Amino acid sequence: MTAGLRERGSVTVLTALAALALLLMAGLVVDGAGRMRAAGRADRIAAEAARAAVQAADTRGRTLTLDRPAAVRAARRYLAAAGLTGTAAVTGPRTVEVSVTVHGHDLILGLLGDPDYTMTGQATATLAVGVAGDSR
């Protein structure tokens, strides 16, 4: 037998291992970027829902405070319009905290295990009155 026939198939193993490594790296890039986008979306939606909630100001009293039920309703309406689930709570006389959950699906790494994941975003907004600035 010649040397060329004895080594037949050795390149195939190397190619298979290299292809597997490239697939895993592509999965890390694609699915990692998807998870980062999901986390950013959760934070953005939570911040916008909190801002919507602090717009429910109660202007009937001597001091400006939040209308608590209206603030929670406004945040929940915003979350529902975005198609997400979450919680909203008034944590102070002028402060609202919102937590949002975003669900996602891994495209490539999901082939190796559970493809579904959950990202959570949180934001706090405070009702501010007046203009802050330098009074020179």
Side-chain angles (χ1 to χ4, degrees):
M1 248 188 194
T2 64
L5 293 176
R6 281 194 316 255
E7 296 179 10
R8 190 173 188 187
S10 63
V11 174
T12 305
V13 173
L14 180 63
T15 304
L17 291 175
L20 180 61
L22 285 173
L23 180 65
L24 288 174
M25 288 178 62
L28 288 174
V29 170
V30 171
D31 293 338
R35 285 178 182 241
M36 288 177 62
R37 280 192 306 274
R41 180 172 185 245
D43 287 337
R44 282 191 311 275
I45 297 294
E48 289 299 322
R51 285 186 198 110
V54 296
Q55 291 179 0
D58 184 2
T59 59
R60 295 171 293 188
R62 292 181 46 196
T63 61
L64 190 61
T65 59
L66 287 175
D67 181 348
R68 289 174 178 262
V72 171
R73 278 194 310 271
R76 288 183 180 160
R77 263 195 315 269
Y78 192 91
L79 294 176
L84 297 175
T85 59
T87 60
V90 177
T91 58
R94 294 183 178 191
T95 305
V96 177
E97 186 174 307
V98 177
S99 178
V100 177
T101 302
V102 173
H103 301 283
H105 185 79
D106 286 331
L107 299 174
I108 298 173
L109 295 179
L111 300 172
L112 301 175
D114 186 17
D116 298 322
Y117 60 86
T118 302
M119 293 292 179
T120 303
Q122 294 180 334
T124 302
T126 303
L127 177 64
V129 181
V131 178
D134 194 11
S135 60
R136 283 189 244 176

